[in-house]
Amino acid sequence: MKIRLIDPAYQHPYISHSQKVIKNIWFARLTLTTLAALTPPDIEVKITDENVEPIDFEEDVDLVGVTGMIMHAPRAYEIAQRFRQRGIPVVMGGPHASSLPLEAKEHVDAVVIGEAENVWEGLIEDSKNGCLKPFYKAEAFCSMEGLPFPRLDLLRKDAYMTINCAQTTRGCPHQCDFCHVTHFFGKTYRCRPVDEVIEEVKRLEGDFLVFIDDNIAGNRRYAKELFTRLKPLKKQWASQASMTLTRDPELLKLAAESGCVSLFIGVESLSSENLKDVNKSFNQVHQLEEAMKAVHDHDIMVLAGFIFGLDYDDEGVFERTLRFCERNRIELPSFFLLTPLPGTALFQRMESEGRLLHKDWSQYNGATVVFKPRLMTEETLQHGFNWACKEGYSWGSIFKRVFHPQQRFFTRVLSNIAYRSIAQKTPEGYLPRLSRILQRMNDTIPLQNTRDLIQRVGEKIVEKKLLLGQKAADTLKLYSVYNERLKTLFVRLEGSIDREGAKELAKRLKGALHVEIQKVVLDFNDVRAFSSEAITLLSRKGFLQTEEGKLWVAVNIPNIRS
Ligand code: B12
Ligand code: SF4
């Protein structure tokens, strides 16, 4: 019996990669090499990754297996159709088919839902006997012990940056709403025996490998043992980890000592409201800069993932995020558009709110807007994203992020050049019109005279003196968000306002006016101390109107008369 396993190419005008790019930055997934390893030895099995070589549709085979992420689905279905026209049965598995098995079944003879380890041999037997079932789903997740080593020998070694890939764990202890891993593996996080991983790594040629885990440090005890055992092998490795790794100095040090040279870390957003909204509050915004520094201090390169289009993102998010990357010298920023993947909590929410624009899966690629954003129009989100991708890999930005004395300087520059070649293919975008304004309106204004401030204690009660032991904040913080759909700028003030602070605030508010903005809502609820002069000044300038229908609408203003 002969089996051909196929990884469909993603055919898109600018997101699909050229052979050169694949050679420079891609590593091979372990999907088909794992399936091949699970195939009984008496069966001839071959792999075609259509990204690097064409499919022979005339080949004489008995069974075709196709995999695919969401945006590969249309191409996977085309491939299936071509083989089925010749009477060759096709089976499909992978993230997309596992989420939408009924849809996949319309195009193939059999669908494997979830992991293949416990069903693949049986499926092959059924295929031999001409009695394929429509669906195969293992009753439980497979054991992580004794997994066969992936058949890397079946890949075209010269086509990728590396084919040296291994997996140490499956799943992730977290459950971020947008992530498919949680849907696929449920709440499980399973680790392979360290001995087996070490044996597999030893067999890999060369001194660099990629652990394709979703979160290599999800179980600290396991990770510590793994890293300790990796040390003597003197390999260099890259992987993915959640931010929690950066908070464990011992683990981070061990990772570096064991050869970790780069980590993909899902930062996702600089807004704690966004992170909370997608169940990712364990990324703590106030610790982000420190976390990036901790990774850099161990000379580990950071590939930071950011998502644009979350519900609390306004049009200031693109510039803010890019400046964060530059300030924190993030070597390889990776920007994605929020993409609701079928099966995820995010998809369910977007669908129930009627916010999905369509279900053309080929567009669900992380670089095309496929849903209605909350605070922006689709156009603004798409253009802002395009701008960030291009600007993030402009020479100016690369210079700010990587040009300073550090180890592996050339590796950092070369990877940026490779990423730049992809970023340049992004269609033109623009920095949204209000971006600059929003940067100034999300800032901290230092105060000059906090001694005479009146403390605000409750809704109505105001005391002339500060409460015992309490000190008025010596800054005024501005948090602003622009809702493009409502054409309204919301400004939340936090801290204290003295006369000078009020003057600066008034200046910024006037400067924020733009033809786009039809209303500015000023919220004083979190102003804990103020001077009456400050309030009088703001009132005289017209910022404290409370009537609806005006340009300025103030809410929760301190009551200076009580
Ligand atoms: C490595 C990886 C990558 C690499 C891929 C490199 C390459 N050469 O393609 C990189 C980093 C480039 C990448 C990019 C992206 N990725 Co990715 N990636 C992964 C990752 C971490 C590991 C894949 C892997 O090797 N797994 C190990 C194998 C053994 O597991 P498996 O693939 O699931 O296969 C098992 C079963 O699914 C089943 N099976 C799978 N296929 C088939 C086929 C048949 C016939 C059968 C019988 C069974 C079967 O059997 C296997 C053994 O049990 C997965 C997460 C994960 N845990 O799988 C995400 C994942 C696949 N990626 C994902 C996404 C979204 C992307 C991006 C779109 C991200 C983005 N927004 O840009 C891009 C798209 C890139 C592209 N153009 O193709 C999602 C897919 C979700 C979905 N529903 O489609 C995943 C699940 C991650 C996530 N957080 O949600 N990715
Ligand atoms: S931490 Fe990463 S891998 Fe884990 S659920 Fe969240 S996004 Fe997915």
Side-chain angles (χ1 to χ4, degrees):
M1 185 186 191
K2 289 184 191 162
I3 300 180
R4 171 65 64 177
L5 300 173
I6 299 176
D7 208 338
Y10 184 52
Q11 294 164 334
H12 184 276
Y14 76 92
I15 299 167
S16 50
H17 300 323
S18 66
Q19 302 294 306
K20 197 169 152 221
V21 168
I22 291 176
K23 174 80 194 136
N24 281 338
I25 63 165
W26 257 35
F27 50 90
R29 258 179 297 149
L30 285 183
T31 311
L32 299 184
T33 45
T34 299
L35 265 189
L38 295 169
T39 307
D42 59 318
I43 286 167
E44 186 182 320
V45 60
K46 288 186 181 160
I47 290 178
T48 303
D49 178 353
E50 202 194 359
N51 295 290
V52 300
E53 61 191 322
I55 298 169
D56 176 3
F57 286 104
E58 299 309 316
E59 188 184 8
D60 175 25
V61 280
D62 304 296
L63 178 68
V64 168
V66 193
T67 186
M69 303 187 205
I70 185 162
M71 74 278 184
H72 301 117
R75 177 64 184 157
Y77 299 155
E78 269 171 31
I79 294 169
Q81 190 193 15
R82 295 278 298 270
F83 282 105
R84 290 177 87 203
Q85 275 166 356
R86 291 179 47 219
I88 298 169
V90 177
V91 49
M92 184 167 172
H96 186 72
S98 299
S99 300
L100 297 175
L102 293 175
E103 176 196 289
K105 180 64 188 68
E106 301 266 298
H107 303 271
V108 298
D109 299 277
V111 178
V112 171
I113 304 167
E115 291 179 333
E117 277 74 0
N118 293 340
V119 297
W120 183 233
E121 259 193 80
L123 183 150
I124 292 174
E125 227 17 69
D126 289 350
S127 178
K128 269 187 194 162
N129 299 327
C131 58
L132 272 177
K133 298 187 194 71
F135 300 103
Y136 290 82
K137 184 170 190 271
E139 284 178 4
F141 291 111
C142 68
S143 160
M144 295 296 276
E145 274 174 46
L147 288 176
F149 298 165
R151 293 276 314 270
L152 302 180
D153 58 298
L154 296 178
L155 293 174
R156 266 190 49 197
K157 192 176 162 188
D158 57 329
Y160 307 88
M161 183 249 298
T162 184
I163 58 162
N164 277 355
C165 297
Q167 186 174 34
T168 74
T169 62
R170 284 193 186 173
C172 176
H174 306 296
Q175 277 125 44
C176 308
D177 283 358
F178 53 83
C179 180
H180 196 266
V181 169
T182 308
H183 165 65
F184 195 87
F185 293 110
K187 291 185 181 173
T188 62
Y189 185 68
R190 292 167 296 149
C191 307
R192 288 178 65 201
V194 175
D195 282 343
E196 293 181 22
V197 176
I198 296 295
E199 184 51 36
E200 189 175 331
V201 172
K202 274 187 188 161
R203 291 195 198 178
L204 298 175
E205 289 170 16
D207 54 13
F208 175 74
L209 77 146
V210 180
F211 289 115
I212 57 93
D213 299 46
D214 294 297
N215 183 357
I216 195 159
N219 175 330
R220 289 180 199 196
R221 223 178 48 201
Y222 175 82
K224 280 182 187 167
E225 189 191 339
L226 176 72
F227 298 163
T228 309
R229 297 277 308 279
L230 276 172
K231 268 203 239 177
L233 304 190
K234 301 209 179 312
K235 300 262 185 187
Q236 293 194 330
W237 58 269
S239 192
Q240 300 192 77
S242 65
M243 290 271 302
T244 47
L245 168 63
T246 64
R247 291 182 216 137
D248 184 333
E250 190 196 343
L251 189 56
L252 196 55
K253 185 165 172 275
L254 266 178
E257 287 170 357
S258 72
C260 176
V261 288
S262 100
L263 281 178
F264 181 96
I265 301 179
V267 177
E268 325 302 7
S269 176
L270 304 178
S271 142
S272 34
E273 282 133 320
N274 271 336
L275 292 167
K276 189 163 168 231
D277 197 46
V278 293
N279 200 24
K280 197 154 188 170
S281 298
F282 59 87
N283 274 10
Q284 289 165 6
V285 174
H286 65 278
Q287 290 183 339
L288 281 178
E289 307 223 342
E290 214 177 295
M292 297 297 121
K293 183 172 178 312
V295 183
H296 282 141
D297 285 349
H298 289 90
D299 195 32
I300 296 173
M301 188 154 90
V302 182
L303 284 81
F306 292 93
I307 299 177
F308 292 137
L310 291 160
D311 273 0
Y312 292 86
D313 280 346
D314 67 3
E315 42 192 274
V317 68
F318 312 104
E319 195 175 4
R320 191 159 47 246
T321 309
L322 182 54
R323 300 300 165 232
F324 172 90
C325 295
E326 291 170 353
R327 235 183 9 259
N328 292 284
R329 299 195 279 102
I330 288 174
E331 286 85 346
L332 295 170
S334 301
F335 302 127
F336 303 105
L337 281 169
L338 183 65
T339 305
L341 299 168
T344 60
L346 176 74
F347 185 88
Q348 277 170 18
R349 178 153 64 86
M350 290 277 180
E351 191 167 47
S352 67
E353 291 172 0
R355 291 170 65 187
L356 297 177
L357 297 177
H358 54 73
K359 290 186 180 172
D360 172 359
W361 305 132
S362 68
Q363 302 293 309
Y364 280 56
N365 50 31
T368 312
V369 179
V370 294
F371 71 101
K372 283 190 199 140
R374 197 168 75 99
L375 297 179
M376 282 179 260
T377 60
E378 289 83 302
E379 294 73 35
T380 303
L381 178 56
Q382 185 69 62
H383 281 285
F385 167 80
N386 294 353
W387 175 86
C389 292
K390 272 196 137 79
E391 186 64 22
Y393 285 91
S394 63
W395 291 118
S397 186
I398 294 177
F399 189 84
K400 286 183 198 142
R401 292 184 289 97
V402 294
F403 275 81
H404 61 96
Q406 58 179 328
Q407 285 183 42
R408 288 194 285 277
F409 171 76
F410 287 108
T411 314
R412 285 165 158 92
V413 174
L414 290 176
S415 352
N416 265 277
I417 293 173
Y419 272 60
R420 182 180 148 86
S421 68
I422 305 173
Q424 282 199 316
K425 289 198 215 152
T426 316
E428 279 310 319
Y430 54 74
L431 184 62
R433 288 172 287 263
L434 296 186
S435 181
R436 292 276 139 78
I437 292 175
L438 287 163
Q439 307 316 314
R440 271 176 69 75
M441 291 307 295
N442 278 287
D443 201 2
T444 300
I445 299 178
L447 304 184
Q448 292 187 8
N449 180 9
T450 52
R451 261 175 311 145
D452 301 331
L453 294 182
I454 302 169
Q455 185 87 357
R456 185 180 189 182
V457 187
E459 273 305 306
K460 296 220 169 94
I461 317 150
V462 171
E463 290 196 356
K464 286 276 173 199
K465 286 183 208 140
L466 295 184
L467 283 186
L468 200 63
Q470 279 202 14
K471 197 171 161 291
D474 55 7
T475 55
L476 172 63
K477 288 189 175 156
L478 316 185
Y479 298 98
S480 305
V481 114
Y482 178 63
N483 187 324
E484 192 183 8
R485 296 187 188 278
L486 301 176
K487 303 216 171 297
T488 302
L489 178 68
F490 294 89
V491 183
R492 182 168 71 80
L493 304 170
E494 188 189 281
S496 314
I497 319 185
D498 67 354
R499 191 166 180 280
E500 297 310 311
K503 268 192 188 164
E504 179 60 27
L505 173 64
K507 198 168 116 198
R508 292 200 190 200
L509 288 171
K510 284 274 181 223
L513 282 190
H514 186 277
V515 280
E516 288 268 308
I517 301 177
Q518 292 177 2
K519 187 189 280 193
V520 181
V521 179
L522 285 168
D523 185 351
F524 288 82
N525 194 46
D526 297 322
V527 171
R528 306 318 307 164
F530 57 92
S531 73
S532 48
E533 276 176 302
I535 299 298
T536 312
L537 186 141
L538 291 173
S539 170
R540 210 180 53 236
K541 300 230 176 224
F543 296 120
L544 299 191
Q545 300 170 71
T546 49
E547 293 154 57
E548 272 299 323
K550 300 275 185 192
L551 170 64
W552 307 101
V553 179
V555 294
N556 301 313
I557 312 166
N559 181 355
I560 53 173
R561 278 178 304 277
S562 55

